[in-house]
Amino acid sequence: MERKTERAWIEVNTGNLCHNVETLKKAMQPGCELMAVVKAQAYGHGAVLTASYLNQMGVSAFAVATVEEGIALREAGIRGEILILGYTDVRRAEELKEYDLMQTLISYEYADALNQQGVTVKAHIKIDTGMHRLGIACGELSAVRKLFFMENIRVCGMFTHLCCSDSRQPDDMAFTRGQIEKFYSLADALRDSGIILPKLHIQSSYGLLNYPDLVCDYVRVGIALYGVLSAPNDDTVLKPDLRPVLSLKSRVVLIREVRAGESVGYGRSFTAGHTARIAILPIGYGDGFPRSLSEGKGRVLIRQYVAPVVGRICMDQLAVDITDAEGITVGDTATLVGAEGYDELSAPAVADHSDSISNELLCRMGARLPVITRSEDRRFHTPE
């Protein structure tokens, strides 16, 4: 048994990752480039490991959330463009330059302050077309135009974010089309005023899957890159053959008999109605498996049996009822998320049962779990 798999671990199928890259590229418009979103430890998959494989697959554009995430990729030898999607203190301009990172300009005032640091920084302009989070309002043509003439700002791209592109409700689709129109109108106005446009991007995963006709230079692919959608019942215009990349696994470390009337775990929330066999797994909400899946809401696959979680999920352990299962022994592997052939254990289904989405579920797994790889594809080597 590998040391990394003694307790609990994340398993990444690099063959499925490669398949998803190739599948998504085919869905994009000609000339468009895939920008892999690897923030939050690549949605729990391991940022350096994932980006290293993506580099080997020919992906050379990445997006992260923070300057620290960008620096970590550079120090691991990741090549290509790295865009920081979120805020970076302008006093870190030297680091942006040193590590060749591109910073999102979140407002005109922010861009002006960054420019005043006296360090040439690569940047993408964020345009607010209706999400009202980060960005310069799409109607502020003059302010956006001034960014192209700032001495220390090198504008390499311009983008917006679609806030409801995952929805196919008529009102939401109309709002999304309005966002798209506003962005292109601003781009046209800049061009008409003599600005040579930088690279443009609008679509994230659902933007591609529901609005595949858009002509841009990048598609920022996050959750779809990892082979799942945010929720199990999401309907999209495109339905590509995406394959889940991540599995969450643990070991059975103890099997105990609980007699009728005895309880298991905190709060005595589970009391056996009859003699039961309980398997203990050394994994809990501290590893990103939601506590809200306690008391029968969660399921775990051990051998060919799907066993319910009983009692409350602890920070580092949980219990499952294996009374009706045969042959399960200490040391057996338990799959909590991503069991092939079991839809109820897919990331979207598990997240839905915990009143969340796949994005959050996967991101929360990256804190302390080791990541191992599984692939039959010999084209790629595992990063050290």
Side-chain angles (χ1 to χ4, degrees), residues 53-296:
Y53 275 105
L54 292 170
N55 257 174
Q56 294 177 64
M57 296 173 202
V59 175
S60 59
F62 300 91
V64 296
T66 69
V67 65
E68 288 84 6
E69 290 179 337
I71 290 172
L73 293 183
R74 285 291 189 232
E75 289 183 338
I78 301 304
R79 305 176 305 278
E81 301 172 334
I82 300 177
L83 172 63
I84 300 170
L85 294 171
Y87 167 81
T88 301
D89 192 308
V90 296
R91 292 171 294 183
R92 304 187 72 174
E94 288 281 4
E95 290 174 276
L96 294 172
K97 180 178 180 180
E98 178 185 353
Y99 290 97
D100 192 23
L101 304 174
M102 297 186 294
Q103 174 59 42
T104 291
L105 303 179
I106 64 173
S107 70
Y108 178 82
E109 293 75 16
Y110 175 85
D112 184 49
L114 185 60
N115 181 56
Q116 291 180 33
Q117 301 306 303
V119 179
T120 301
V121 173
K122 296 178 181 178
H124 283 218
I125 305 169
K126 179 68 176 290
I127 302 300
D128 177 16
T129 55
M131 189 168 186
H132 300 321
R133 198 172 59 176
L134 302 180
I136 302 172
C138 55
E140 298 291 335
L141 173 62
S142 177
V144 175
R145 193 173 187 279
K146 288 177 182 178
L147 302 180
F148 290 86
F149 299 97
M150 288 186 173
E151 181 180 0
N152 297 309
I153 301 295
R154 181 183 165 195
V155 177
C156 301
M158 187 172 77
F159 70 104
T160 194
H161 194 56
L162 306 177
C163 58
C164 54
S165 60
D166 58 330
S167 172
R168 296 186 65 190
Q169 294 298 315
D171 287 351
D172 290 333
M173 293 178 68
F175 189 89
T176 299
R177 285 293 180 190
Q179 284 191 271
I180 294 167
E181 183 179 344
K182 289 174 183 177
F183 183 78
Y184 281 128
S185 294
L186 175 61
D188 290 341
L190 286 169
R191 185 188 295 111
D192 292 344
S193 72
I195 297 295
I196 298 175
L197 291 180
K199 293 185 176 181
L200 306 179
H201 44 117
I202 299 177
Q203 301 145 299
S204 55
S205 292
Y206 281 93
L208 172 65
L209 297 178
N210 281 329
Y211 301 88
D213 56 319
L214 301 185
V215 177
C216 290
D217 296 289
Y218 298 108
V219 173
R220 305 182 305 272
V221 183
I223 195 66
L225 180 64
Y226 307 107
V228 296
L229 297 180
S230 294
N233 298 317
D234 283 347
D235 187 24
T236 55
V237 173
L238 294 185
K239 296 176 173 60
D241 174 29
L242 299 177
R243 300 174 185 175
V245 175
L246 179 147
S247 299
L248 176 64
K249 299 186 177 183
S250 185
R251 296 277 181 199
V252 175
V253 295
L254 181 65
I255 296 175
R256 64 188 318 135
E257 186 176 282
V258 177
R259 292 174 294 182
E262 294 183 332
S263 60
V264 175
Y266 284 120
R268 302 176 63 240
S269 62
F270 170 78
T271 300
H274 51 77
T275 298
R277 292 176 70 238
I278 303 297
I280 305 299
L281 309 181
I283 186 172
Y285 61 77
D287 303 293
F289 194 69
R291 187 175 182 272
S292 58
L293 293 177
S294 299
E295 301 171 21

